[in-house]
Amino acid sequence: MADRFHIDFEIVPGPLVLRGPEAHHLHVSRVRVGDTIHLFHGDGREYPANVVEVTKRDVCLDVAAGETVDREASVRVVAACALPKGDRGQFLIEKLTELGVAEFVPILTTRTVVNPGESKLDKLRRYVIEASKQCGRNILMKVSEPRPWAEVLSDRHLPKVRLLAHVGETGRAVPGECAFAVGPEGGFTDAEVAAAQAAGWRTVGLGPRVLRVETAALVLASHVMT
Ligand code: SAH
């Protein structure tokens, strides 16, 4: 998957001249005239492209017709999680992308400490692209705007099965399409858990140890997808 490059705009077969950051990535990857690379935009397709010319500034490509290459998970999973700080947030986004999660919703709860603004969200979306280049996904995991927990609870667009990871629960998640929620390091408050249960969310446990947010989210994601 090393020859995959993300293009920010819709890809149209035919000649394509890349400049700026996009050409920069190709320069850094040392593409040469005659190489075949693969472009993706996130529309589900992959576009083989021949490198026609490489100058200091530009890279000229001849882009072939796109082919749909499906490397998505077989079930739609939405992860609603409190975003951990710094590197652990990056790690979480990368791994959820690799696992094939469809959407990540940063949730704002009483004890949430990270409320990502526009520049942070841009960074998170860059991590999705980098992970997708590497793992071969042609549809990008959606990173939503942060949303208050009370709003997420009753969102009618989420998958019908809704799971809330809660320390001490014995009930287990069952594989299949779902939305799951993981709280911040300080946990959900009792009121937040009660409101979720009242709204039809099922509390599930992940064993007797207290896991970090990213561990809990990745364990749940892989569990519901198998
Ligand atoms: N001090 C907090 C721990 C929070 S850990 C508490 O006791 O609740 C952060 C989040 O990870 C939790 O809100 C929960 O959603 C999830 N989590 C961590 N360990 C878990 C476990 N063993 N079972 C279920 N969920 C867990």
Side-chain angles (χ1 to χ4, degrees):
M1 302 282 167
D3 64 345
R4 283 167 53 82
F5 296 90
H6 178 261
I7 301 292
D8 264 337
F9 46 84
E10 199 184 321
I11 302 169
V12 180
L16 176 65
V17 180
L18 296 178
R19 248 170 226 171
E22 257 130 14
H24 177 72
H25 281 135
L26 276 84
H27 280 128
V28 171
S29 308
R30 300 184 183 283
V31 297
R32 306 226 183 287
V33 171
D35 286 352
T36 300
I37 59 174
H38 291 87
L39 308 180
F40 71 107
H41 169 59
D43 59 3
R45 280 178 294 229
E46 229 168 58
Y47 299 78
N50 282 325
V51 180
V52 177
E53 197 185 344
V54 180
T55 67
K56 262 204 175 129
R57 229 172 59 153
D58 304 338
V59 177
C60 307
L61 303 170
D62 182 21
V63 182
E67 345 162 16
T68 301
V69 181
D70 183 3
R71 298 196 184 95
E72 293 307 294
S74 53
V75 290
R76 175 167 176 254
V77 173
V78 177
C81 306
L83 188 65
K85 280 198 227 155
D87 290 354
R88 297 198 290 117
Q90 174 174 358
F91 177 82
L92 172 61
I93 294 292
E94 283 175 6
K95 303 304 149 194
L96 289 177
T97 303
E98 287 172 41
L99 291 176
V101 166
E103 182 176 351
F104 178 81
V105 185
I107 53 170
L108 304 175
T109 68
T110 309
R111 298 183 184 136
T112 296
V113 286
V114 182
N115 179 358
E118 274 315 309
S119 78
K120 178 78 183 176
L121 288 171
D122 276 353
K123 271 195 187 156
L124 300 180
R125 291 173 184 140
R126 284 313 310 174
Y127 302 148
V128 170
I129 289 173
E130 289 308 315
S132 301
K133 276 189 197 171
Q134 173 271 324
C135 75
R137 264 184 101 166
N138 291 314
I139 293 181
L140 301 179
M141 178 174 80
K142 178 175 174 194
V143 175
S144 301
E145 299 285 322
R147 297 176 64 195
W149 179 230
E151 204 183 277
V152 174
L153 279 190
S154 48
D155 184 341
R156 286 182 300 115
H157 302 293
L158 291 177
K160 291 227 162 25
V161 174
R162 293 152 190 215
L163 309 171
L164 181 142
H166 196 43
V167 177
E169 282 303 322
T170 47
R172 289 282 186 262
V174 177
E177 173 166 311
C178 68
F180 69 75
V182 174
E185 292 304 344
F188 286 107
T189 64
D190 291 345
E192 284 164 346
V193 175
Q197 285 171 324
W201 290 63
R202 194 162 71 75
T203 47
V204 293
L206 300 167
R209 291 162 303 284
V210 178
L211 308 177
R212 292 282 207 171
V213 177
E214 63 277 23
T215 318
L218 294 172
V219 168
L220 250 178
S222 67
H223 185 74
V224 296
M225 280 174 172
T226 49

